Amino acid sequence: MQELREAYAEAQRLSLELQEKNRELEEGNWQLAEAHARLQAAQSQMLQREKMASVGQLAAGVAHEINNPVGFVTSNLATLARYIDRLTEFIARQDRAVGSDQREELQAARKELKIDYISEDARDLIRESLDGTDRVSAIVRGLKSFSRVDEARLQAADINECLEATLNIVWNELKYKASVTKEYGDLPRTVCNPQQLNQVFMNFLVNAAQAIDKQGEIRISTRQTGNMILVSFADTGCGIAPENLSRIFEPFFTTKEIGKGTGLGLSISYDIIKKHGGDIEVESEPGCGTTFTVKIPVVAA
Ligand SMILES: Nc1ncnc2c1ncn2[C@@H]1O[C@H](COP(=O)(O)OP(=O)(O)OP(=O)(O)O)[C@@H](O)[C@H]1O
Ligand SMILES: [Mg+2]
């Protein structure tokens, strides 16, 4: 009887020990799963960063290639404008020089060939084309300062200029969705990684445009308070539900349909701003809009 009791006690002890071991195993397992998830998130972030870097490189290459033809098209157009002026002047002088019998014939030809309209329209066409090449040049400049692959990573930059460069790049995604208002304050140059900041600004602007259903407004403002530069992006988009507000900086958190968002934009932005010694704040009212404010410290060169 005594033996049986002892055996039973021993079995119970063993069973408890087993339970304890099991619990430890479960905990270990759980920790492993968590580590795995963290590794996966880190890997995806790295991939996304590499993607952005190669997009930057590609953009810089394309910008370089476009620069050359745009340069000669612009200069040829300007020359063409001068030629047209001279030809028009020549026609006017010829008109004055010829005798009255030929003049009638010339007038008829002039009417038939719409010479007056052509010389007027040619000037308009050239002006429009020059506007176009100006725009292409601005985009190329934007692409170059956006990607800055060949320049040192840290440099003194003007945040307002960074914003302009980024706006040039994302303009296509914004223009049908929103009117963009800019309120740039006076900012000191600050040592930063402009390429990375451009990425951050781009994500805020694209997010703002994507939050707007049909037509809305995006207001970009900059100012300095104390030793901080503040950049705000306010939109009149759909806003963020309160229960999501604490999750938007998590990697892979997205409310966008598959293929539209990876949910990495804000987590990478947060990372970049933290590395600059700054912070990101968000205020949002569902149905009214959202304001993101980036704070970065002024670092003297
Ligand atoms: N301006 C905004 N207005 C409303 N919701 C926003 C805004 N900005 C971010 N969000 C919300 O935060 C989520 C996460 O944004 P984040 O930029 O990290 O990822 P994403 O835009 O979904 O995808 P990705 O940037 O990778 O293309 C978005 O899916 C959206 O729900
Ligand atoms: Mg985004």
Side-chain angles (χ1 to χ4, degrees):
M1 195 60 182
Q2 174 70 12
E3 268 171 32
L4 208 66
R5 224 178 276 138
E6 268 172 23
Y8 180 71
E10 177 65 10
Q12 251 189 342
R13 202 182 54 75
L14 278 175
S15 146
L16 275 177
E17 215 170 275
L18 212 67
Q19 267 178 16
E20 174 65 12
K21 286 268 180 282
N22 221 348
R23 213 186 47 74
E24 274 172 24
L25 260 175
E26 258 171 28
E27 169 135 0
N29 227 346
W30 186 79
Q31 277 173 356
L32 262 175
E34 210 190 21
H36 184 232
R38 270 205 306 269
L39 264 173
Q40 253 184 341
Q43 191 203 17
S44 300
Q45 277 201 347
M46 264 168 62
L47 277 178
Q48 175 83 356
R49 268 207 212 115
E50 259 170 48
K51 198 177 82 191
M52 293 298 271
S54 50
V55 166
Q57 237 154 0
L58 184 74
V62 170
H64 187 76
E65 292 300 319
I66 292 176
N67 228 0
N68 207 10
V70 167
F72 66 72
V73 170
T74 307
S75 117
N76 288 356
L77 281 170
T79 311
L80 215 55
R82 282 202 309 278
Y83 288 176
I84 298 269
D85 282 346
R86 284 217 208 159
L87 284 173
T88 320
E89 173 65 21
F90 178 74
I91 292 171
R93 284 197 208 175
Q94 202 178 35
D95 207 37
R96 287 197 293 274
V98 294
S100 55
D101 45 338
Q102 286 153 310
R103 185 173 293 153
E104 234 166 70
E105 199 183 323
L106 271 179
Q107 287 289 356
R110 192 169 167 162
K111 225 177 187 163
E112 190 198 337
L113 298 172
K114 297 194 178 133
I115 297 299
D116 290 330
Y117 169 77
I118 285 176
S119 67
E120 198 50 45
D121 197 41
R123 283 202 193 89
D124 286 347
L125 293 180
I126 289 174
R127 202 177 319 115
E128 265 175 40
S129 305
L130 279 171
D131 271 354
T133 53
D134 270 357
R135 267 190 356 232
V136 175
S137 298
I139 293 169
V140 166
R141 266 200 308 279
L143 276 172
K144 275 188 161 169
S145 73
F146 186 77
S147 47
R148 291 249 154 92
V149 271
D150 45 356
E151 288 182 33
R153 291 186 158 269
L154 283 180
Q155 64 190 97
D158 180 334
I159 299 295
N160 290 336
E161 277 173 19
C162 290
L163 285 165
E164 279 298 296
T166 308
L167 266 173
N168 258 326
I169 304 288
V170 292
W171 188 242
N172 258 323
E173 292 199 45
L174 306 187
K175 65 179 177 194
Y176 300 116
K177 281 293 196 69
S179 58
V180 176
T181 319
K182 298 180 265 189
E183 289 165 359
Y184 294 156
D186 277 336
L187 298 181
R189 294 177 85 79
T190 181
V191 175
C192 60
N193 184 328
Q195 194 188 337
Q196 287 189 341
L197 288 187
N198 286 343
Q199 265 180 42
V200 173
F201 298 157
M202 178 164 92
N203 187 55
F204 282 127
L205 290 169
V206 172
N207 278 352
Q210 287 178 341
I212 291 167
D213 183 28
K214 288 201 176 69
Q215 265 292 319
E217 202 187 314
I218 299 173
R219 187 177 293 266
I220 308 170
S221 53
T222 60
R223 68 198 153 95
Q224 181 185 11
T225 48
N227 196 37
M228 285 287 185
I229 288 174
L230 270 58
V231 186
S232 309
F233 301 86
D235 65 63
T236 56
C238 59
I240 301 169
E243 66 270 23
N244 288 342
L245 216 47
S246 59
R247 304 198 53 203
I248 54 172
F249 294 102
E250 284 174 18
F252 304 116
F253 178 81
T254 181
T255 55
K256 291 166 195 173
E257 50 199 272
I258 300 168
K260 204 158 187 202
T262 60
L264 281 175
L266 281 177
S267 71
I268 290 176
S269 300
Y270 189 75
D271 202 44
I272 291 173
I273 296 303
K274 278 287 166 190
K275 283 202 180 111
H276 277 80
D279 206 1
I280 300 178
E281 279 168 12
V282 53
E283 274 172 70
S284 187
E285 209 172 307
C288 288
T290 307
T291 303
F292 281 95
T293 304
V294 180
K295 294 181 177 176
I296 34 179
V298 180
V299 181

